[in-house]
Amino acid sequence: MAESEKTTIAEKSPPKRGGFSAVLKKWQPDGWRLAAIVVSLLVITPLTVIFLSWADYSEDIWAHLAENLLSELLINTAWLVGGVATGTVILGVS
C-alpha cells in the first residue's frame, strides 16, 4: 500500500457538526438574503390571515359568498388555471 493511500479512521470520519448555533455564527445578512426574507414575510402574511380567518366561522358570510361571489371566483380561477396550463405547455415544451 502506498504512503498516499494510508488513511486513519480520524481522516475518514465526517466533520463535526456544530448544530444550529454554528449556522447562526456563519449567517451574515447580505442583500439577497435580506430581500428573500422580506419577500417571504410579505407572501406569508396574507396567507396567515386567510388561514386564521377560517377559525371565525359564520354562516352568514358563507351564504353571502355563495350567493354573490362564488360563481365569479370560480370562473376567474378556471381562467387562471387555463392560462397557466397553456403557458406551461407552450414555454415548458419549447
Side-chain angles (χ1 to χ4, degrees):
M1 193 178 284
E3 203 56 43
S4 62
E5 293 178 13
K6 293 181 181 178
T7 57
T8 63
I9 294 175
E11 291 174 352
K12 289 183 178 181
S13 64
K16 288 184 188 179
R17 295 185 182 184
F20 189 69
S21 62
V23 172
L24 288 178
K25 287 178 187 176
K26 289 181 182 180
W27 187 76
Q28 296 178 3
D30 58 348
W32 286 109
R33 190 171 301 196
L34 188 61
I37 291 170
V38 169
V39 169
S40 65
L41 289 174
L42 288 173
V43 169
I44 201 160
T45 301
L47 293 174
T48 304
V49 170
I50 290 170
F51 286 124
L52 291 177
S53 70
W54 286 346
D56 185 26
Y57 179 77
S58 174
E59 291 184 22
D60 296 336
I61 293 173
W62 286 106
H64 169 74
L65 288 175
E67 290 174 12
N68 300 319
L69 297 174
L70 190 59
S71 61
E72 183 180 347
L73 293 175
L74 288 174
I75 291 169
N76 288 344
T77 301
W79 277 108
L80 284 170
V81 168
V84 169
T86 304
T88 302
V89 167
I90 291 171
L91 297 175
V93 176
S94 59

